[in-house]
Amino acid sequence: MADFFRAHEHGVDVFVRLTPRSSRDAVEGVAAGADDRAHLNARVRAVPEKGAANAALEKLLAPVLGVARGDVSVVAGGTSRLKTVRVTGDPAALVRRLEELAGQGGSR
């Protein structure tokens, strides 16, 4: 299920469903929503106030994808559970890592 991200010239855009106020920070694999669109499931302990959950998501995804924290940013859905996260870097390497995440059902 590789339709939870879109590669482009400077990296990838990842479609994420974020659950804030969780008991742990984790990436939990790929799932389809009620509209049959795929997304990466992620959980963070941070609360969804003043961008704390978005910042925690960016911090969580950076090491999982093997990029610097500054290379990850929420670009859409800032106040929604469904977000688009832009990851800057080598598109081929990022696609490989995302496909690995989809295959293993998550990490961390």
Side-chain angles (χ1 to χ4, degrees):
M1 183 182 311
D3 54 349
F4 70 98
F5 64 87
R6 179 179 37 231
H8 52 79
E9 179 179 357
H10 302 289
V12 294
D13 289 341
V14 184
F15 308 111
V16 178
R17 183 178 189 283
L18 180 64
T19 303
R21 293 188 187 134
S22 178
S23 61
R24 63 190 176 98
D25 293 342
V27 175
E28 298 184 325
V30 179
D35 59 359
D36 288 332
R37 290 179 28 193
H39 52 266
L40 186 68
N41 282 327
R43 298 179 167 278
V44 295
R45 289 183 296 239
V47 296
E49 295 173 3
K50 299 180 183 174
N54 290 340
L57 174 62
E58 294 167 354
K59 184 178 177 182
L60 172 67
L61 289 180
V64 169
L65 297 175
V67 297
R69 162 66 182 82
D71 292 334
V72 181
S73 59
V74 174
V75 294
T79 59
S80 171
R81 284 186 186 262
L82 298 176
K83 301 177 182 301
T84 302
V85 178
R86 180 154 297 148
V87 184
T88 305
D90 175 29
L94 291 168
V95 166
R96 274 193 309 275
R97 185 62 189 128
L98 287 164
E99 287 173 344
E100 288 171 11
L101 281 174
Q104 61 186 237
S107 78
R108 201 165 166 148

